[in-house]
Amino acid sequence: MSAGFETRLREAGYRLTPARRAVFAVLRQASTPLSAAEVWRLGRARHAGLGRATVYRTLPLLVRLGLARALLAPGGVRYQCSEGGTHRLVCRGCGAELPLSGCPAGALAQELSEKYGYLVEGHLLEFYGLCPDCQRRMRHEV
Amino acid sequence: MSAGFETRLREAGYRLTPARRAVFAVLRQASTPLSAAEVWRLGRARHAGLGRATVYRTLPLLVRLGLARALLAPGGVRYQCSEGGTHRLVCRGCGAELPLSGCPAGALAQELSEKYGYLVEGHLLEFYGLCPDCQRRMRHEV
DNA sequence: AAGTAAATGATACAATGTCTCAACTAGCAC
DNA sequence: GTGCTAGTTGAGACATTGTATCATTTACTT
């Protein structure tokens, strides 16, 4: 799958550099979406002199190439590898996120592909609301 | 619906102030999601001395109260009123967004509500991929 | 009408992201 | 392998975006 990264970069006319490897490797290994600052910090472990500007240049590049995805978490933008879709329940009270399995969007993707000529590569399905705790809390404490 | 804003604020124990009215009114009237800076600029037209800090305090408050939603647009975070769901196709090549009608998520919301006890208030369904133009462009130009 | 806690706006500050540019290097040609 | 060249890098200045502080104001309760 790391080969996917290399070929994708090359076929798009970009060079394969230690900095880009480091940034992508950090995202690949992360078990949770990372902020740009976190990617920088972790990336320096892999590539000593990794620059901040390079990280900020590389992350959007990875997104444009379809190798990563930018998410809006409470607290700012975070990046993660883009493999397949992302599905979750987000509580607007406490920010808790509950991952979901099973997705109704897969079927729709094919349909959209035919209808609009889009090449659909992945999707993000987020439900917003209140978790049980926050529902209780909002009734009483506020 | 503006009443919804007022009661929501009151029932959560927050005061109804000119600043908050202005911020919310700006979001309500906007036909497109706005950045915090834009909300400030537009808000000053409605409430002369509106402070920057107040805008940055108010927008997350509106999100927590379920009155607004934060979106990650190319170029940063943007806010919009939260009425129902949001569905679109986003091209990772050029950033173009194509709104969708018809959504498979509504049915799932009810199911999630029962299964997890969440109060589901809205959702965001985004498909990522390449629009027809970008597919062509990627094959040739790059 | 008066009291009070919440909210405001100004400002200073911190964090986040962008731009510039000289130095470097990946990839290609030979 | 050696040299060439355009893409890329990293440092730092800069711009933007978001946060904390605090004296002053004000929405709401009684």
Side-chain angles (χ1 to χ4, degrees):
Chain A
M1 189 56 116
S2 164
F5 159 72
E6 301 190 2
T7 50
R8 198 68 162 256
L9 217 57
R10 303 294 288 278
E11 89 189 356
Y14 294 96
R15 290 188 184 167
L16 191 55
T17 68
R20 286 174 177 158
R21 280 180 192 280
V23 168
F24 186 70
V26 165
L27 287 187
R28 290 255 340 145
Q29 286 215 344
S31 56
T32 159
L34 302 174
S35 69
E38 287 166 345
V39 172
W40 185 37
R41 190 172 50 77
L42 293 170
R44 290 165 74 91
R46 295 172 171 275
H47 178 58
L50 181 61
R52 211 161 57 93
T54 300
V55 172
Y56 280 100
R57 275 189 292 245
T58 303
L59 289 172
L61 173 65
L62 294 178
V63 172
R64 281 203 311 282
L65 294 179
L67 292 164
R69 196 165 296 153
L71 305 173
L72 182 57
V77 180
R78 308 188 86 81
Y79 296 86
Q80 75 176 173
C81 262
S82 65
E83 32 213 15
T86 302
H87 325 90
R88 54 191 170 191
L89 257 166
V90 183
C91 176
R92 68 170 162 83
C94 59
E97 298 187 6
L98 185 67
L100 300 176
S101 59
C103 176
L108 194 59
Q110 173 65 18
E111 195 185 320
L112 292 172
S113 188
E114 290 164 7
K115 192 165 168 188
Y116 300 107
Y118 258 74
L119 174 66
V120 178
E121 300 173 327
H123 57 266
L124 171 64
L125 175 57
E126 286 184 346
F127 288 90
Y128 301 106
L130 285 176
C131 67
D133 283 351
C134 283
Q135 287 176 55
R136 240 176 286 121
R137 206 172 301 136
M138 298 252 163
R139 269 202 293 275
H140 303 146
E141 293 179 17
V142 176
Chain B
M1 191 53 121
S2 165
F5 159 71
E6 300 189 2
T7 49
R8 198 67 162 256
L9 217 57
R10 304 294 288 280
E11 88 188 358
Y14 294 97
R15 291 185 184 170
L16 191 55
T17 67
R20 285 173 180 161
R21 282 180 191 280
V23 169
F24 186 69
V26 165
L27 287 187
R28 290 260 334 149
Q29 286 215 344
S31 56
T32 159
L34 302 174
S35 69
E38 287 165 345
V39 172
W40 186 38
R41 190 172 51 76
L42 293 170
R44 289 166 74 92
R46 295 171 170 276
H47 177 58
L50 180 62
R52 210 163 59 94
T54 301
V55 171
Y56 280 101
R57 273 188 293 246
T58 303
L59 288 172
L61 172 65
L62 294 178
V63 172
R64 281 203 311 283
L65 293 179
L67 292 164
R69 196 165 297 153
L71 304 174
L72 182 59
V77 180
R78 308 187 85 81
Y79 296 85
Q80 74 175 173
C81 261
S82 66
E83 33 215 16
T86 302
H87 324 92
R88 55 192 168 191
L89 259 164
V90 183
C91 176
R92 68 170 163 83
C94 59
E97 297 187 8
L98 185 66
L100 301 176
S101 59
C103 177
L108 194 60
Q110 173 65 18
E111 193 185 321
L112 293 172
S113 189
E114 290 164 5
K115 193 165 169 189
Y116 299 107
Y118 258 74
L119 174 65
V120 178
E121 300 172 328
H123 58 267
L124 171 64
L125 175 58
E126 286 184 345
F127 289 89
Y128 301 106
L130 284 176
C131 67
D133 283 351
C134 282
Q135 288 175 53
R136 240 175 286 122
R137 206 173 300 138
M138 298 251 164
R139 268 201 294 273
H140 303 146
E141 293 180 15
V142 176

